Amino acid sequence: MSNDHIATSFDEDMTRLEAMFLEMGGIVTAQLKAATRALRKEDRALAKEVVKGDKKLNKIEADLNNLAIKILALRQPFAGDLRKVVITLKSAGHLERIGDLTRNMAQRTNTIAKAEADTGPIDTLIRMSEIVQDMIASIMLAYKMRDTELAIKVRALDQNVDTSHNALFREMLTYMMEDLRNISGCMHVMFMAKNIERMGDNVADIAKEIVYMNTGNWPEGKRTKSDKTSKMIIEHDLA
Amino acid sequence: MSNDHIATSFDEDMTRLEAMFLEMGGIVTAQLKAATRALRKEDRALAKEVVKGDKKLNKIEADLNNLAIKILALRQPFAGDLRKVVITLKSAGHLERIGDLTRNMAQRTNTIAKAEADTGPIDTLIRMSEIVQDMIASIMLAYKMRDTELAIKVRALDQNVDTSHNALFREMLTYMMEDLRNISGCMHVMFMAKNIERMGDNVADIAKEIVYMNTGNWPEGKRTKSDKTSKMIIEHDLA
């Protein structure tokens, strides 16, 4: 009887932990979608909403941390359950960071609108954001379904974000050289692209952690990173 | 007798966990110092060393994760010990991320050397790096000594990094507008500054986690963020 009671509470705690993590994933996706819409429509009010909305995410992460530590202290889970608690806590940190990067992206939307520069290839930025949105949706599914194959697939997808980022970076450098008035606006577009690229990295980290959660082993091999922007130079006489 | 044996092993595991975390802190500091020296001296060989050296950090973090999970599974620590295991695991993730940012900084050093642009205020960049180096040293000490006061002090220091970052960002935008040939080089300096600013954020996160580790409560109040760069525009006719 008393054992039954403890067992039920453990299951309840684990279900609640999972639900909180999935809720964070839902909020992160909604935030990134809203930030992207705000960018496309130069909607400053919506961008402000996104900045405000990030607080909720931080709150849930703090609650999730406390619950995870409570489970570790009172329930002493082992094997798969233990890995699930630890990985959920670690991966929640990545979701929280994606939220921070989204907030920063929204802050720059206002600035770009004010700069009134023709910032050109916002389309590439939106495409990058859409890839990351899909990655987040898939990684939340992989977590929920304990789908290792899917997690590995999502981890590889991050290369597409890097490839778009490379193209955008080069395009923006050229653009800045064409017209000085583009510099401020383009700079902020480049930092936004960097933010989205970092979101992709965070999703890839969650993917790695899910593989460990499911199998007890970290995935083999270093992930292929295709971000080449740190090596790019545009010669001024080619611009 | 058997109990004694278990107790000793637990202490040994905890000591090893702490030693691994402190080793990571030592490597991160050495890496950031080397990356900064490489930048100042345009030393490409040293920058390459830094890029290579990051692998070691990733390896120790993976080992630390495994040890933390082993301790949770086999030793079932509680209260302060439990918080120490969980926070060490979480904070090691921040150190690993500082390592990634340092590697990225070193990659850009080579690019800046190649761009051959007069990138001007490298001094500000170096000052930012030195503040972060001091923050890392202090936060490792706060962890080791379980010094909550010091952790709170370090968390506040991050504002100085943000202030330097704001000044540098503005200066760089103006610089790019003065001469098109500066654009590529300045861009990379700005991304380096952003990297260092993010390192400061990660140290501030560790500080928050140490307060929780020592007291069981997350520090009250949102940290004052002074990074204003996402809102900066330089008018082209003022440049």
Side-chain angles (χ1 to χ4, degrees), chain A residues 58 61-62 65-66 69 72-73 76 82 86 89-90 94 97 101 104 107-108 111 114-115 169 173 176-177 180-181 183-184 187-188 190-191 194-195 198 212 218 222 229-234 236, chain B residues 58 61-62 65-66 69 72-73 76 82 86 89-90 94 97 101 104 107-108 111 114-115 169 173 176-177 180-181 183-184 187-188 190-191 194-195 198 212 218 222 229-234 236:
Chain A
N58 297 340
E61 200 220 347
N65 277 332
N66 289 336
I69 289 171
L72 291 172
Q76 303 177 331
L82 172 59
V86 172
L89 177 132
K90 257 181 97 85
H94 290 295
R97 215 154 307 119
L101 294 163
N104 188 274
Q107 281 166 340
R108 288 183 199 277
T111 314
K114 273 187 212 149
F169 194 92
L173 276 182
M176 287 158 100
M177 292 189 183
L180 287 179
R181 283 168 297 185
I183 288 181
S184 280
M187 271 299 311
H188 289 289
M190 287 167 103
F191 274 107
K194 185 75 196 164
N195 281 346
R198 278 201 191 284
Y212 176 79
W218 297 99
K222 187 87 185 157
T229 56
S230 65
K231 290 173 182 150
M232 277 186 199
I233 305 168
I234 307 283
H236 58 96
Chain B
N58 296 341
E61 199 220 348
N65 276 331
N66 290 336
I69 290 173
L72 292 171
Q76 304 177 331
L82 172 60
V86 173
L89 177 131
K90 258 182 97 84
H94 290 294
R97 214 153 310 117
L101 294 163
N104 188 275
Q107 280 166 341
R108 290 183 197 276
T111 315
K114 274 186 211 151
F169 194 92
L173 277 182
M176 286 158 100
M177 292 191 182
L180 287 178
R181 284 167 296 186
I183 288 182
S184 281
M187 272 298 310
H188 288 290
M190 285 167 106
F191 274 106
K194 186 74 196 165
N195 282 345
R198 279 201 191 284
Y212 176 80
W218 297 99
K222 187 85 187 156
T229 56
S230 65
K231 290 174 183 149
M232 276 186 199
I233 305 168
I234 305 285
H236 58 96

Side-chain angles (χ1 to χ4, degrees), chain A residues 36-47:
Chain A
T36 309
R37 199 174 338 118
L39 171 69
R40 197 171 43 214
K41 308 220 178 234
E42 288 203 358
D43 184 339
R44 299 185 196 189
L46 182 58

Side-chain angles (χ1 to χ4, degrees), chain B residues 46-128:
Chain B
L46 182 58
K48 263 191 190 157
E49 285 293 308
V50 173
V51 173
K52 264 204 258 166
D54 187 44
K55 275 189 195 141
K56 198 174 165 191
L57 211 53
N58 296 341
K59 173 75 177 65
I60 302 177
E61 199 220 348
D63 291 345
L64 186 150
N65 276 331
N66 290 336
L67 177 60
I69 290 173
K70 187 193 131 193
I71 294 175
L72 292 171
L74 302 182
R75 313 283 176 206
Q76 304 177 331
F78 56 95
D81 285 330
L82 172 60
R83 289 199 304 274
K84 182 165 182 175
V85 175
V86 173
I87 291 306
T88 305
L89 177 131
K90 258 182 97 84
S91 293
H94 290 294
L95 288 180
E96 193 269 332
R97 214 153 310 117
I98 297 174
D100 283 349
L101 294 163
T102 305
R103 185 191 60 216
N104 188 275
M105 186 177 153
Q107 280 166 341
R108 290 183 197 276
T109 297
N110 284 335
T111 315
I112 287 179
K114 274 186 211 151
E116 287 176 7
D118 179 2
T119 43
I122 295 278
D123 285 351
T124 308
L125 209 55
I126 288 170
R127 199 160 57 244
M128 282 176 72

Side-chain angles (χ1 to χ4, degrees), chain A residues 78-101:
Chain A
F78 57 95
D81 285 331
L82 172 59
R83 290 200 304 274
K84 183 164 182 175
V85 175
V86 172
I87 291 307
T88 304
L89 177 132
K90 257 181 97 85
S91 293
H94 290 295
L95 288 180
E96 194 268 331
R97 215 154 307 119
I98 296 174
D100 283 348
L101 294 163

Side-chain angles (χ1 to χ4, degrees), chain B:
Chain B
M1 186 71 185
S2 154
N3 263 340
D4 268 10
H5 176 68
I6 289 176
T8 311
S9 293
F10 173 71
D11 287 345
E12 275 170 9
D13 278 350
M14 290 298 277
T15 306
R16 198 150 71 89
L17 189 77
E18 181 175 316
M20 286 166 99
F21 184 74
L22 295 174
E23 190 187 356
M24 283 186 77
I27 295 175
V28 164
T29 310
Q31 286 276 96
L32 181 54
K33 265 193 190 148
T36 308
R37 200 175 336 117
L39 171 69
R40 196 172 42 214
K41 307 219 178 235
E42 289 203 358
D43 184 339
R44 298 184 197 192
L46 182 58
K48 263 191 190 157
E49 285 293 308
V50 173
V51 173
K52 264 204 258 166
D54 187 44
K55 275 189 195 141
K56 198 174 165 191
L57 211 53
N58 296 341
K59 173 75 177 65
I60 302 177
E61 199 220 348
D63 291 345
L64 186 150
N65 276 331
N66 290 336
L67 177 60
I69 290 173
K70 187 193 131 193
I71 294 175
L72 292 171
L74 302 182
R75 313 283 176 206
Q76 304 177 331
F78 56 95
D81 285 330
L82 172 60
R83 289 199 304 274
K84 182 165 182 175
V85 175
V86 173
I87 291 306
T88 305
L89 177 131
K90 258 182 97 84
S91 293
H94 290 294
L95 288 180
E96 193 269 332
R97 214 153 310 117
I98 297 174
D100 283 349
L101 294 163
T102 305
R103 185 191 60 216
N104 188 275
M105 186 177 153
Q107 280 166 341
R108 290 183 197 276
T109 297
N110 284 335
T111 315
I112 287 179
K114 274 186 211 151
E116 287 176 7
D118 179 2
T119 43
I122 295 278
D123 285 351
T124 308
L125 209 55
I126 288 170
R127 199 160 57 244
M128 282 176 72
S129 165
E130 283 168 353
I131 299 172
V132 171
Q133 286 168 41
D134 286 347
M135 285 173 71
I136 298 173
S138 299
I139 209 61
M140 297 313 291
L141 190 67
Y143 173 89
K144 201 178 165 180
M145 309 304 287
R146 291 187 155 266
D147 187 335
T148 306
E149 289 297 307
L150 181 57
I152 291 171
K153 234 173 89 184
V154 173
R155 190 166 175 240
L157 275 182
D158 190 36
Q159 271 204 65
N160 300 345
V161 182
D162 288 347
T163 307
S164 298
H165 186 217
N166 294 339
L168 184 81
F169 194 92
R170 190 172 289 278
E171 212 171 349
M172 281 286 132
L173 277 182
T174 318
Y175 218 75
M176 286 158 100
M177 292 191 182
E178 267 172 29
D179 190 339
L180 287 178
R181 284 167 296 186
N182 287 331
I183 288 182
S184 281
C186 285
M187 272 298 310
H188 288 290
V189 170
M190 285 167 106
F191 274 106
M192 273 194 185
K194 186 74 196 165
N195 282 345
I196 298 176
E197 191 261 332
R198 279 201 191 284
M199 291 178 206
D201 285 347
N202 275 287
V203 177
D205 283 340
I206 297 176
K208 203 175 75 176
E209 286 158 8
I210 289 176
V211 173
Y212 176 80
M213 176 174 87
N214 291 350
T215 65
N217 295 303
W218 297 99
E220 272 177 51
K222 187 85 187 156
R223 177 169 63 93
T224 318
K225 278 290 297 171
S226 307
D227 182 14
K228 309 266 179 243
T229 56
S230 65
K231 290 174 183 149
M232 276 186 199
I233 305 168
I234 305 285
E235 297 299 332
H236 58 96
D237 45 61
L238 298 177

